[in-house]
C-alpha cells in the first residue's frame, strides 16, 4: 500500500493513465507530426514518479520506493520548466496563451516548495 493510504488499485490506475498518456504523446508527436504537448509532458513528469513509487511500495521494495519518492519531491520543478518552454515556444511562433498552462506554470513552483517542505518536516518527525 502507498504511504498515504491509497490502495493498490489506485496505483495500477495511475500506471495505466501514465502509460496511456505517454503513448498518446509519442504517437501524436512522432507518428502524426503534431506539435509536442508540453502540458502533457509536464503532467507525466509528476505522474510517473508517483506511480512508480506506489508500485515499488506495493511490491515490497521500500528502499527503491523511497529513492523514487525522493526524486518525486523535485518533479514539480522540471514540470514547470517544461510548461514555460512550451509557453515561450508558442509565443515565439505567434500563438496565443494557453491560460491553463500559464496558471500551472505560475502555481507549480509553489506546489513544489510545499512538497519539499512537507518532506523535510516528515523527515524531522521521523528522526525525533
Amino acid at each position: 500500500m502507498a504511504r498515504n493510504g491509497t490502495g493498490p488499485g489506485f496505483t495500477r490506475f495511475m500506471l495505466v493513465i501514465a502509460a496511456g498518456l505517454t503513448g498518446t504523446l509519442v504517437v501524436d508527436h512522432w507518428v502524426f507530426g503534431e506539435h509536442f504537448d508540453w502540458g502533457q509532458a509536464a503532467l507525466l513528469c509528476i505522474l510517473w514518479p508517483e506511480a512508480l513509487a506506489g508500485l515499488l511500495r506495493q511490491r515490497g521494495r521500500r528502499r527503491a520506493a523511497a529513492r523514487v519518492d525522493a526524486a518525486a519531491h523535485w518533479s514539480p520543478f522540471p514540470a514547470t520548466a517544461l510548461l514555460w518552454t512550451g509557453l515561450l515556444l508558442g509565443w515565439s511562433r505567434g500563438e496565443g496563451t494557453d491560460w491553463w498552462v500559464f496558471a500551472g506554470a505560475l502555481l507549480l513552483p509553489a506546489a513544489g516548495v510545499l512538497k519539499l517542505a512537507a518532506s523535510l518536516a516528515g523527515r524531522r518527525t521521523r528522526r525525533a
Side-chain angles (χ1 to χ4, degrees), residues 27-88:
V27 168
D28 283 349
H29 182 64
W30 282 289
V31 174
F32 296 129
E34 295 179 9
H35 288 295
F36 189 75
D37 190 353
W38 294 96
Q40 190 173 348
L43 176 64
L44 289 171
C45 264
I46 294 172
L47 190 58
W48 269 116
E50 296 291 338
L52 289 176
L55 177 68
L56 289 169
R57 211 174 285 112
Q58 179 184 346
R59 303 261 185 207
R61 308 269 321 248
R62 300 264 181 224
R63 290 183 66 200
R67 285 191 295 268
V68 172
D69 207 27
H73 290 308
W74 293 94
S75 64
F77 301 110
T80 301
L82 284 171
L83 290 176
W84 279 108
T85 301
L87 284 169
L88 292 173

